[in-house]
Amino acid sequence: MSHDPATPWIVSLAAGGFAGAVEAFATYPFEFAKTRVQLREQKGVPTPRNPFLVVAGVYKNEGLSALYKGCSALVIGSVGKDGVRFLSFDTIKEKFKDPETGTLTPLRNMGAGMASGVVASITAVTPTERMKTALIDDARNEKRYKSNVHAIKTVIAEDGVLGLYRGFAGTTLKQAGATAFRMGTYNILKDYERTRNIPQTTLTNFANGSVAGIVTTFATQPFDTIKTRSQSSRGATTVEAFQSVIADYGVRGFWKGTTMRLGRTVFSGGILFTTYEWAAAILNPVLRKQTL
């Protein structure tokens, strides 16, 4: 997002999709641990807060493959999600930036991020998040799904195509908020650095992305918890998910899995934006040579 404003839309889409895939695969065990914690557990059984303990326990009891259950669904979804997110954010940002400085006000940065999050939720995020969550939930309980394809067919057979959009409200709220805070925070930091001639290095990009990930996690965790409950293997409406969290844990339950998610987002934010900047820097000159 700091690349040349003349960057073609295909570069934003391709670099964003590639960055999303790398980030999703690299940090998936933390996402797995977070999802396990958010799904309803047995009464009276303490839930570990340390993501490394959850990951280690699953690895010991279920093997390495269990930690990547549902990963392909998330990776595929991340290609579409982040490709669309970066493309729509860059497009919207170009419309509202200051023509002299090339920067946006913090409010416009957040607004551009929110709009791109809604677009991403509709086009890619909700269906893939639904299948990822259902696969993780099914693996610990009924084990009905034989594969990703079988899981999709089962959901459609039981609930129709709309079954893939179970938890749409919670997911869209989360995506709108998460993208607003993640993209917004990252670009606010970059715009601040740009106006003060602070060089943009890999370390700077990673640090900015990590800060954006931390802010995003605390601000949007309740939406993430509701989304996870809605998208369990049997599914639930947004209202039912909300009520089940209150019944199980009270208001504090909406921040269940925050530590788990932080374990991922601190790294994922850095990885995502660093990979995006790197991919865009490579693709831009290549594309320009081809069009000359």
Side-chain angles (χ1 to χ4, degrees), residues 222-242:
F223 298 130
D224 189 71
T225 300
I226 292 171
K227 172 198 71 70
T228 297
R229 285 290 182 94
S230 296
Q231 294 177 331
S232 61
S233 59
R234 287 295 181 181
T237 66
T238 299
V239 173
E240 290 170 344
F242 180 91

Side-chain angles (χ1 to χ4, degrees), residues 68-80:
Y68 278 87
K69 191 73 174 177
C71 179
S72 59
L74 184 64
V75 169
I76 292 170
S78 293
V79 171

Side-chain angles (χ1 to χ4, degrees), residues 52-75:
F52 295 100
L53 290 179
V54 176
V55 170
V58 173
Y59 174 75
K60 179 180 178 181
N61 298 322
E62 303 174 48
L64 179 63
S65 61
L67 286 173
Y68 278 87
K69 191 73 174 177
C71 179
S72 59
L74 184 64
V75 169

Side-chain angles (χ1 to χ4, degrees), residues 3-33:
H3 58 280
D4 192 299
T7 297
W9 65 269
I10 190 64
V11 172
S12 290
L13 185 66
F18 178 71
V22 171
E23 178 268 328
F25 184 81
T27 63
Y28 189 76
F30 290 108
E31 174 68 14
F32 179 93

Side-chain angles (χ1 to χ4, degrees), residues 177-285:
T179 309
F181 283 103
R182 175 171 275 196
M183 297 290 203
T185 301
Y186 181 80
N187 279 274
I188 288 168
L189 290 172
K190 288 190 73 66
D191 286 347
Y192 175 85
E193 292 160 356
R194 181 182 298 160
T195 58
R196 286 158 180 77
N197 297 317
I198 297 175
Q200 295 301 296
T201 64
T202 297
L203 182 60
T204 305
N205 291 334
F206 193 95
N208 289 345
S210 295
V211 171
I214 293 171
V215 172
T216 302
T217 298
F218 281 105
T220 64
Q221 187 63 25
F223 298 130
D224 189 71
T225 300
I226 292 171
K227 172 198 71 70
T228 297
R229 285 290 182 94
S230 296
Q231 294 177 331
S232 61
S233 59
R234 287 295 181 181
T237 66
T238 299
V239 173
E240 290 170 344
F242 180 91
Q243 292 173 337
S244 72
V245 173
I246 292 292
D248 287 350
Y249 305 112
V251 175
R252 293 178 62 184
F254 290 109
W255 276 268
K256 195 126 182 111
T258 298
T259 306
M260 304 292 180
R261 195 169 164 217
L262 274 176
R264 178 178 182 235
T265 54
V266 168
F267 294 106
S268 70
I271 292 170
L272 179 69
F273 288 107
T274 302
T275 303
Y276 175 81
E277 302 283 7
W278 173 78
I282 292 175
L283 291 173
N284 262 321

Side-chain angles (χ1 to χ4, degrees), residues 40-245:
R40 180 177 288 151
E41 301 290 341
Q42 294 179 346
K43 293 281 187 180
V45 178
T47 302
R49 295 185 177 184
N50 187 326
F52 295 100
L53 290 179
V54 176
V55 170
V58 173
Y59 174 75
K60 179 180 178 181
N61 298 322
E62 303 174 48
L64 179 63
S65 61
L67 286 173
Y68 278 87
K69 191 73 174 177
C71 179
S72 59
L74 184 64
V75 169
I76 292 170
S78 293
V79 171
K81 173 189 71 176
D82 288 304
V84 170
R85 255 197 328 192
F86 277 93
L87 171 60
S88 56
F89 184 86
D90 282 348
T91 302
I92 295 168
K93 189 178 81 167
E94 286 300 311
K95 301 293 184 182
F96 295 106
K97 71 178 183 180
D98 186 311
E100 294 184 3
T101 65
T103 62
L104 277 73
T105 64
L107 186 60
R108 287 190 174 187
N109 261 315
M110 301 291 280
M114 184 175 295
S116 62
V118 173
V119 173
S121 178
I122 294 170
T123 57
V125 179
T126 301
T128 51
E129 282 284 323
R130 161 68 162 129
M131 296 317 303
K132 177 215 74 178
T133 304
L135 283 162
I136 291 175
D137 191 27
D138 181 72
R140 72 179 187 134
N141 289 317
E142 301 175 88
K143 297 180 173 59
R144 294 191 302 152
Y145 304 145
K146 300 175 183 177
S147 65
N148 289 344
V149 174
H150 180 252
I152 294 171
K153 289 181 177 179
T154 302
V155 168
I156 293 176
E158 292 178 350
D159 301 314
V161 175
L162 289 179
L164 296 175
Y165 280 83
R166 178 78 73 178
F168 174 73
T171 303
T172 302
L173 286 170
K174 178 207 166 187
Q175 281 301 309
T179 309
F181 283 103
R182 175 171 275 196
M183 297 290 203
T185 301
Y186 181 80
N187 279 274
I188 288 168
L189 290 172
K190 288 190 73 66
D191 286 347
Y192 175 85
E193 292 160 356
R194 181 182 298 160
T195 58
R196 286 158 180 77
N197 297 317
I198 297 175
Q200 295 301 296
T201 64
T202 297
L203 182 60
T204 305
N205 291 334
F206 193 95
N208 289 345
S210 295
V211 171
I214 293 171
V215 172
T216 302
T217 298
F218 281 105
T220 64
Q221 187 63 25
F223 298 130
D224 189 71
T225 300
I226 292 171
K227 172 198 71 70
T228 297
R229 285 290 182 94
S230 296
Q231 294 177 331
S232 61
S233 59
R234 287 295 181 181
T237 66
T238 299
V239 173
E240 290 170 344
F242 180 91
Q243 292 173 337
S244 72
V245 173

